[in-house]
Structure formats: C-alpha cells, structure tokens
Amino acid sequence: MTPVHDGYDPCVGVITAAVAAAVPNTKPIVLGKPQPFLIEQALAHLGTARHETVMVGDQLGTDIAAGKAAGMRSILLASDVPFNAVAGVVPDRIIASLLDLASPEAAGWPR
C-alpha cells in the first residue's frame, strides 16, 4: 500500500496478498519503507550504529517513519515534493536543502 492523504492506495501489497493467498504456508517479509528491515540491513552493511546514523528523506509516511521505526534520528528534507502529514511521525529536524547538512551545526546536531 502507498500512503496517501486519506489512507492508502493499492500497490505491491495487492500482489503480495495474492501470492500469500495462493501459497498459505508462506509469510511475506516487507522490505520497503516504512518497515525497518531494509534500514537494519543497511546499518549492518555500513557497520554504523543507530545513534550515529541519520535517516534523511522527503516523505513523512515512508522515509521519516522508517527511520523512526528503526530507532534512528531523522531529517525531513522540505523539498518541492509534496508530503502528507502522518499522525505521530515527527522528524528530529527539518531542512530546506541538502546543503544544510554541510556541517553538523548547520543541521542542528551537536558535535
């Protein structure tokens, strides 16, 4: 399902449900955002800890929610891409440009 302003639109979840119905002994693993599995795998690959890694994204319902689900800090990039408000999903910081990440102080993170 894809988050939209009034709920969710069908997406790959429809295909997943069809496969799960056809093969009832299987249990799908959701890899996409906002599920934390993909982020946890990326952390393991990078070798970084959650407390020293930040999720940056332009969508509250996927990017920021995924960072929060994985226990990480998050930064919302307030780009030209419209985003939908998501109850309970609040980024740690909001920036206007990736250039705002040039220094930790500019992004609002203490050294």
Side-chain angles (χ1 to χ4, degrees), residues 56-82:
V56 179
D58 63 359
Q59 293 294 310
L60 287 171
T62 55
D63 305 325
I64 304 306
K68 294 298 180 183
M72 297 168 40
R73 296 176 294 174
S74 62
I75 297 176
L76 177 65
L77 175 61
S79 66
D80 292 338
V81 177

Side-chain angles (χ1 to χ4, degrees), residues 25-92:
N25 292 332
T26 64
K27 181 177 179 185
I29 298 172
V30 180
L31 299 178
K33 298 175 286 185
Q35 301 300 322
F37 180 81
L38 185 63
I39 294 173
E40 291 166 354
Q41 294 300 306
L43 288 170
H45 178 75
L46 293 170
T48 60
R50 295 173 201 281
H51 72 276
E52 61 188 18
T53 310
V54 178
M55 177 66 167
V56 179
D58 63 359
Q59 293 294 310
L60 287 171
T62 55
D63 305 325
I64 304 306
K68 294 298 180 183
M72 297 168 40
R73 296 176 294 174
S74 62
I75 297 176
L76 177 65
L77 175 61
S79 66
D80 292 338
V81 177
F83 64 87
N84 299 313
V86 177
V89 179
V90 180
D92 293 294

Side-chain angles (χ1 to χ4, degrees), residues 12-23:
V12 296
V14 173
I15 296 169
T16 303
V19 171
V23 188

